[in-house]
Amino acid sequence: MSQKYLLVFLAFFGHFFMLHAQEKFTFSGTISEEASNETLIGVSIVIPELKTGAITNEYGFYSITLPKGQYQIVVSYLGFQEIVETIDLQDNLKKDYQLTEKTQELQEVVLVDDVERLDIRKPQMSVNTLGAQTIKEIPVVLGEADVIKSLTLLPGVSNGGEASSGFNVRGGAADQNLILLDEATVYNSSHLFGFFSVFNPDAIKDVKLFKGGIPSRYGGRVSSVLEIFQKEGNSKEIKVNGGIGAVASRLLIEGPIQKDKTAFLIGGRASYAHLFLALAGEENKAYFYDLNTKINHKINENNNIYLSGYFGRDLFNINDAFVNVYGNAVGNFRWNHLFSDRLFSNLSLIYSDYFYGLELDFVGFEWDSGIQNFNVKYDLKHYLNNKLQLNYGLNSIYYVFNPGKIIPNSPDSGIVEEQLTKKYANENAVYVDIEHEITNNLSMEYGLRLSHFNRMGQDEFYVYQNDSPVDFDTSAQVYREGTPVDTINPGRGGSMEAYFNFEPRISMSYTFNENNSIKASYTRISQYLHLLSNTNSPTPLDVWTPSGPFVKPQLQDQYAVGYFRNINQGDYSFETEAFYKDLQNRIDYIDGANLIANNAIEQVILNGQARAYGLEFLLRKNSGRFKGWLSYTLSKSEQRTPGRTEQETGINFGEWYNTPYDKTHDLSINGSFNLNEKWKFNANFIYQTGQPTNYPIGQFEYEGLQVPYYGLRNKERLPAYHRMDISAVLTPERNKRKKVQSEWVFSIYNVYGRKNAASINFRENEDTGRNEAVRTSIFGIIPSVTYNFKF
């Protein structure tokens, strides 16, 4: 090697060594709202000079490692005033920021918390975020702001129709969604059989829906994760806000217990339509109430604790002869600890309970059922450097399943008390997730979740010949309930079945420039719990059951690829994704299956498979007087259950059939227009392909009765569903001498009075004797008025 090339090589090596030998320090802290000390999620901290940055986590914490030197820092969050300053990083620097709200943007419609360019670079995909203000402004039935109804305006998300609870994501069932409120599982998300959701919008801080590319820290549901965080409470001054609506009212109070250190939040909500029924002499009742609570305490700079809870109940009463009570209760104690400026941890102790109670006075008994879980989870986030971050942790969940207990409510009822066999299980998991910026253009998030499910022993368990609880009658070509050949008592201490699953996850993003990127993801996830329901949407009476000797866990592989673009510096944005989901062990039911009060549910269940695939489009306008979005989904959702042997026909002759939540076309348009400081207008339009259903294809006469018979499952569809909703928000001119701020919300649901079919039934016309179809609709035009206030 010549002396010239040797000098060039040494110079290059020296320069490379100097770059990597630079002394580096960590710049970290917490970002909160100035007016309340409420921590902010997803705030961008950008260093323009280095074209790098970070965003705050779920607790407002950030950490960036930089070479020694001076840098300009830009702290930005939509709806808040930007902070631009210069820091001199000569040592590890911990600095907290407080952002001031922009008063002129308080009413903005926000689809995502942040539309900064860093989002284009992040490998996370298939995620939608809704702000609390957005949720409050979307017109809904009876004027009550609703988280779940708002989510159905996003691509890939739908529900079973009007007055239906739950939601479906990318062709998945409602029980395949993990719903978390402050990390606690919510098993039923609806009030009044689906008219409202259980989430009080005044208490909500952040709503995030993962449809795909689900990080390794989540598990237990194959379709989606809905993560909702409650506000922490104002630690500077007492604040009160609420609303009075046509059928329900709400009130939330937050304030300091010890200023700048300890804060509380308590919110209540209740419906009162039944009071008007009582004035009209109507004895029937239907109402709900719920309570949100939270306390947070800052021990010191490195330790914070939180105690949060939710309690909700619904009551449905018909002449005191039929009384139905159901609801959720959850609680969570969390401890945030900062080991160093690069290592953040969160320990959570969680309790969740869903209760369903039924009292039938005319037959003389009460019915209780439900599910409980106790969850311990420990999560850590390790900021190794600006290009590499680790998320890792573990959790353990203990389940108690109560399929039902019958209790006589009078001595002479003739009913014998009976407890259906309770079931117990334990679900454990460890995970690691890596966020890795490989180059300036390529970023990845990859990880692995190891899950273990142990179906514990129970007091009574049936044994079947050939381990087959479902028999096939070859002569009649139908499935029948198997007959137990023995009964054993394993006891609660043993293990009846155990499952262990590897769940790899990977997402990647390739950025062409500051405004364009493509992303792809693969997710494998397992679900060990199953909701027993043969309806299109969950009902309060639905019963959960664990995987075990005869019911296998659901295993799903999801693939997704998408293109993302910011237009005109983020004023507009466009997203499109294609997905494919392959699901094993989806439970299916034999014809005529009895799911309620069944002590041997395995006798009516078969394990099948499902698949879903589709295209999603989302176009948003993020700034200006007019804002909103258009979303469209083209998809297919199917399942099948082939025969277990060559002699068996399987369900639906083993052929693929539409799931009850298959929607070929799903179009949603949401718009918001700021006319002036007083008036703001909002509108929705929704169009969906009709739900799959079954119509009779013929009839036969039996003992003088005309009996219909049906063909293949879900072969027909209800008519297409569509409607338009509008609302107007009037904000009176504020008297500066008064602290009270208020607004009036006038809304009309289903403005053109579309009679959407909830179901179609067939009957014989008494006059003509001919068969006729009868459409059942739930809602017509529904106007409503809501008064909101805060001080």
Side-chain angles (χ1 to χ4, degrees), residues 585-649:
N585 304 326
R586 178 60 181 165
I587 61 173
D588 209 343
Y589 309 107
I590 66 174
D591 292 332
N594 175 31
L595 303 181
I596 305 303
N598 190 337
N599 210 22
I601 200 66
E602 67 273 5
Q603 295 176 358
V604 297
I605 289 178
L606 293 173
N607 293 299
Q609 60 186 121
R611 66 186 181 189
Y613 47 91
L615 285 169
E616 298 173 357
F617 300 90
L618 178 61
L619 176 64
R620 305 182 302 223
K621 188 175 186 299
N622 301 305
S623 61
R625 296 174 67 187
F626 174 76
K627 308 178 188 71
W629 68 87
L630 182 152
S631 75
Y632 171 71
T633 306
L634 173 67
S635 64
K636 188 68 178 174
S637 176
E638 302 173 300
Q639 71 181 78
R640 72 169 180 173
T641 305
R644 297 169 296 182
T645 65
E646 293 183 358
Q647 290 74 34
E648 293 187 8
T649 60

Side-chain angles (χ1 to χ4, degrees), residues 115-117 119-120 513-517 563-576 618-624 628 630:
V115 290
E116 297 289 335
R117 293 170 183 169
D119 289 343
I120 289 291
N513 52 47
E514 294 179 335
N515 292 311
N516 295 272
S517 71
Y563 170 70
F564 303 82
R565 179 180 177 86
N566 277 340
I567 305 169
N568 194 23
Q569 297 182 336
D571 289 344
Y572 298 85
S573 56
F574 175 74
E575 306 172 18
T576 181
L618 178 61
L619 176 64
R620 305 182 302 223
K621 188 175 186 299
N622 301 305
S623 61
L630 182 152

